Amino acid sequence: MRITKETVEHVANLARLYLSEEEKAEMTEKLNSILDYMEKLNELDTSQVQPTAHVIPIKNVFREDRIWESLPLKETLKNAPDRDENFFRVPRIIEE
Amino acid sequence: MELHKLTIHESHELLKKKEISSEELTKALFERIKNVDDKIKAYITLDEERALLKSREVDKKGDFSNPLTGIPAAIKDNICTKDLKTTCSSKILANFIPPYDATVSARLKTGDVVFLGKTNMDEFAMGSSTENSAFFATRNPWDTSRVPGGSSGGSAAAVAADECIFAIGSDTGGSIRQPAGYCGVVGMKPTYGRVSRFGLVAYASSLDQIGPITKDVTDCALVLNAIAGHDKLDSTSADIPVPDYTESLKPDVTGMKIGIPKEYMGEGIDAEIREAVLEAAKIFEKMGASFEEISLPHTEYALWAYYIIAPAEASSNLARYDGIRYGVRAKDYDDLIDLYKKTRSEGFGAEVKRRIMLGTYALSSGYYDAYYLKAQKVRTLVKRDFDEAFKKYDFILVPIAPTIAFKIGENTDDPLKMYMNDVCTIPVNMAGLPGISLPCGFSQGMPIGLQIIGKPFDEPTILRAAYAFEQATDFHKNKPGI
């Protein structure tokens, strides 16, 4: 199974990216390279192998549920590209 | 005295004896930056005014008991610094001024380190040459027609060109060790979890680790002392005691056993580099260690698994760049989805888009088990190879890269070389191990990097080995003619 342009368009939509026709052609080729990596990996029988989610032994991490100081509102909003007082401004998403 | 040439420990001695002030040292570094940085382009942002203010404040306090106090340093531009622009060398973050410090930045500030500025990198740390920066390419101080390596190329070049006393980098698949190797300086990727990643702009979270880039091994230990340790703000940071790394700096490797994996020394590695690594092994042998060839059979698979895991984690981490809360937003858009798509398409460079696409595909519905989970299982096998080797050997010796630093714009058309380029460093990240790079020779006037890989949390052993090697050789004394 090879990856088609339609798959690339679907993935680009999931990734929230617009791609030019040229980029789509390039990405089709790149995504197909993933299948090549998988072919390599599938040479190995891993049916009895546990996946490594974390390389170093680690216990569950808990912390006390207590109130602590968070970033001031002004600081939090400082980098917003568009804001209205204490809100991030975004295009309307609910129809009138 | 040329102050910019000093190491941390040399500067510290002079500061302590009040023979120099931190202000003089800081001024000397900015003078050096003014003289050479138009050729090197290591820095993306300079912070001269605040740096001088800080140095004067440190001098006034006059307490130089901490070895890093008053020392001018450079920070890679993917590590958050409060009120100082942090762009990740990406257009999408071109205007981002963090309202907080990364834990590493905060720890260095507690030690009264003077921040000179932020260093250039491959966009979002994706690349191995610093040519992928959205702003400009950094150049290798040994030969400005060559790359400094990547993605911490700005940090490594700044250290090599004496544009800072030390620098901080980050390493996902070799991004500290490889540029350190190409620039002839010392670079260390600590064990995963040894240094907090809080405030590091995430690329591939299960692989990323912050570490020092320094002029010698002693400095590396000093910086690691300052930044290592558990952090409540990073739940993946290891809650185990931190030794004093300077205590491991003894030129003694008597009785140590070294493994040299054949998978890193074969075809695809330049003969001169292979020779330099074997020469290094013989130097260790003369000092009382022994070495033999070993095999790490899953080395090749580590690379293929990395090509699934790193983009998968990147695609997830980079979902947060949507033009809403921070960063640059596209100008004209129809609706929210259009805003996201335009912002991301204009803001991300080609390599970043490529990795987001690969990762989104690998994680998309129906493929997670077949791709990501399979790659994580292969990761277990890679780690087991190392575990087995470390039952018998104290450390592993390999090259840092198959070639010396390549020319800017020179696309390596030899696929085997490109593959080997990554295979020397990536398995170390896949297994979460510590690795240090230090100079072990020269080829065509360019430095060759030696890599020493250690057991998890056994930074003391690789620091000791690196220190012993440095004491026995003169490679680190060579400076680029810039």
Side-chain angles (χ1 to χ4, degrees), chain B residues 374-391:
Chain B
K374 174 81 186 185
Q376 294 284 58
K377 286 181 172 186
V378 171
R379 194 169 178 180
T380 306
L381 300 176
V382 174
K383 190 166 157 24
R384 275 188 205 161
D385 279 358
F386 281 109
D387 289 346
E388 276 308 305
F390 283 127
K391 281 184 188 159

Side-chain angles (χ1 to χ4, degrees), chain A residues 13 15-16 18 26 35 37-38 40-41 43-44 46 49-50 52 54-56 58 79-81 89, chain B residues 97 192 300-301 307-308 323-324 326 329 338 341 344-345 354 370-371 374 376-377 380 383 430 457:
Chain A
N13 181 50
R16 298 289 186 248
Y18 285 126
E26 194 220 309
L35 298 178
Y37 310 152
M38 290 321 298
K40 282 274 174 196
L41 293 185
E43 286 172 10
L44 296 172
T46 51
V49 180
Q50 288 293 316
T52 294
H54 193 83
V55 275
I56 304 304
I58 195 167
N79 280 287
R89 197 191 337 236
Chain B
I97 299 172
Y192 182 82
E300 187 189 345
Y301 299 101
Y307 287 153
I308 305 284
I324 305 295
Y326 42 74
R329 181 187 286 194
D338 191 44
K341 288 185 174 177
R344 291 165 61 80
S345 304
R354 251 175 240 136
Y371 293 177
K374 174 81 186 185
Q376 294 284 58
K377 286 181 172 186
T380 306
K383 190 166 157 24
M430 292 290 277
F457 299 104

Side-chain angles (χ1 to χ4, degrees), chain B residues 343-356:
Chain B
T343 296
R344 291 165 61 80
S345 304
E346 290 168 16
F348 290 137
E351 185 57 33
V352 176
K353 282 186 208 168
R354 251 175 240 136
R355 296 198 197 193
I356 289 175

Side-chain angles (χ1 to χ4, degrees), chain B residues 63-123:
Chain B
D63 176 7
F64 292 100
S65 50
N66 181 324
L68 295 190
T69 297
I71 307 287
I75 314 288
K76 185 176 180 178
D77 209 27
N78 60 350
I79 295 168
C80 285
T81 41
K82 191 176 181 337
D83 300 329
L84 179 59
K85 206 158 70 165
T86 299
T87 73
C88 252
S89 290
S90 180
K91 279 197 276 182
I92 211 162
L93 278 178
N95 58 6
F96 179 62
I97 299 172
Y100 61 92
D101 270 319
T103 296
V104 163
S105 313
R107 286 187 179 172
L108 293 173
K109 281 184 181 174
T110 306
D112 279 329
V113 169
V114 175
F115 289 3
L116 299 170
K118 308 298 285 283
T119 48
N120 198 24
M121 54 187 279
D122 288 300
E123 183 177 357

Side-chain angles (χ1 to χ4, degrees), chain A:
Chain A
M1 185 191 76
R2 302 307 283 175
I3 289 156
T4 60
K5 192 177 139 187
E6 285 68 42
T7 312
V8 168
E9 285 167 349
H10 171 65
V11 173
N13 181 50
L14 293 176
R16 298 289 186 248
L17 288 171
Y18 285 126
L19 299 179
S20 66
E21 286 304 312
E22 204 176 300
E23 282 176 308
K24 280 180 200 167
E26 194 220 309
M27 295 294 179
T28 309
E29 198 190 309
K30 289 283 168 194
L31 288 199
N32 273 307
S33 70
I34 277 210
L35 298 178
D36 298 336
Y37 310 152
M38 290 321 298
E39 219 168 285
K40 282 274 174 196
L41 293 185
N42 288 331
E43 286 172 10
L44 296 172
D45 176 11
T46 51
S47 53
Q48 303 302 314
V49 180
Q50 288 293 316
T52 294
H54 193 83
V55 275
I56 304 304
I58 195 167
K59 296 189 298 266
N60 237 344
V61 179
F62 297 104
R63 65 168 168 80
E64 278 187 46
D65 187 18
R66 61 178 176 82
I67 295 167
W68 57 323
E69 213 180 317
S70 51
L71 273 180
L73 202 54
K74 206 176 132 216
E75 289 286 299
T76 312
L77 287 153
K78 197 176 70 172
N79 280 287
D82 191 6
R83 52 182 278 210
D84 186 2
E85 298 206 3
N86 288 338
F87 299 96
F88 297 107
R89 197 191 337 236
V90 296
R92 174 185 289 275
I93 49 169
I94 300 166
E95 310 265 320
E96 273 181 80

Side-chain angles (χ1 to χ4, degrees), chain B residues 147-360:
Chain B
V147 303
S151 64
S152 311
S155 287
V159 173
D162 292 316
E163 294 183 70
C164 60
I165 304 293
F166 75 91
I168 298 291
S170 73
D171 191 315
T172 306
S175 283
I176 288 175
R177 291 159 290 153
Q178 184 253 27
Y182 281 180
C183 292
V185 294
V186 175
M188 182 193 251
K189 182 200 96 72
T191 310
Y192 182 82
R194 183 74 291 187
V195 177
S196 168
R197 289 180 299 107
F198 176 78
L200 169 70
V201 180
Y203 162 17
S205 308
S206 78
L207 303 161
D208 297 339
Q209 183 63 193
I210 297 175
I213 300 180
T214 57
K215 294 179 189 177
D216 66 14
V217 177
T218 305
D219 281 7
C220 183
L222 289 170
V223 178
L224 192 59
N225 271 352
I227 62 175
H230 181 241
D231 176 17
K232 273 192 286 191
L233 298 173
D234 173 5
S235 56
T236 62
S237 82
D239 193 3
I240 55 172
V242 182
D244 178 350
Y245 294 106
T246 57
E247 280 173 15
S248 45
L249 303 176
K250 296 184 185 106
D252 181 12
V253 290
T254 317
M256 282 197 186
K257 291 199 178 71
I258 307 168
I260 303 184
K262 61 175 189 210
E263 288 81 2
Y264 291 73
M265 293 289 275
E267 211 190 328
I269 302 281
D270 275 1
E272 272 186 291
I273 288 179
R274 201 180 310 136
E275 205 46 50
V277 173
L278 283 174
E279 270 312 308
K282 284 176 195 153
I283 290 169
F284 280 116
E285 195 176 39
K286 257 187 225 154
M287 292 189 284
S290 61
F291 69 91
E292 53 192 29
E293 187 180 274
I294 61 166
S295 174
L296 301 170
H298 295 97
T299 298
E300 187 189 345
Y301 299 101
L303 192 73
W304 307 122
Y306 177 90
Y307 287 153
I308 305 284
I309 293 169
E313 295 183 7
S315 73
S316 158
N317 277 325
L318 270 58
R320 63 174 67 111
Y321 302 99
D322 55 9
I324 305 295
R325 289 150 299 148
Y326 42 74
V328 175
R329 181 187 286 194
K331 282 207 171 57
D332 304 303
Y333 40 84
D334 299 331
D335 55 24
L336 191 64
I337 301 289
D338 191 44
L339 182 164
Y340 292 155
K341 288 185 174 177
K342 275 197 180 127
T343 296
R344 291 165 61 80
S345 304
E346 290 168 16
F348 290 137
E351 185 57 33
V352 176
K353 282 186 208 168
R354 251 175 240 136
R355 296 198 197 193
I356 289 175
M357 287 289 292
L358 289 172
T360 305

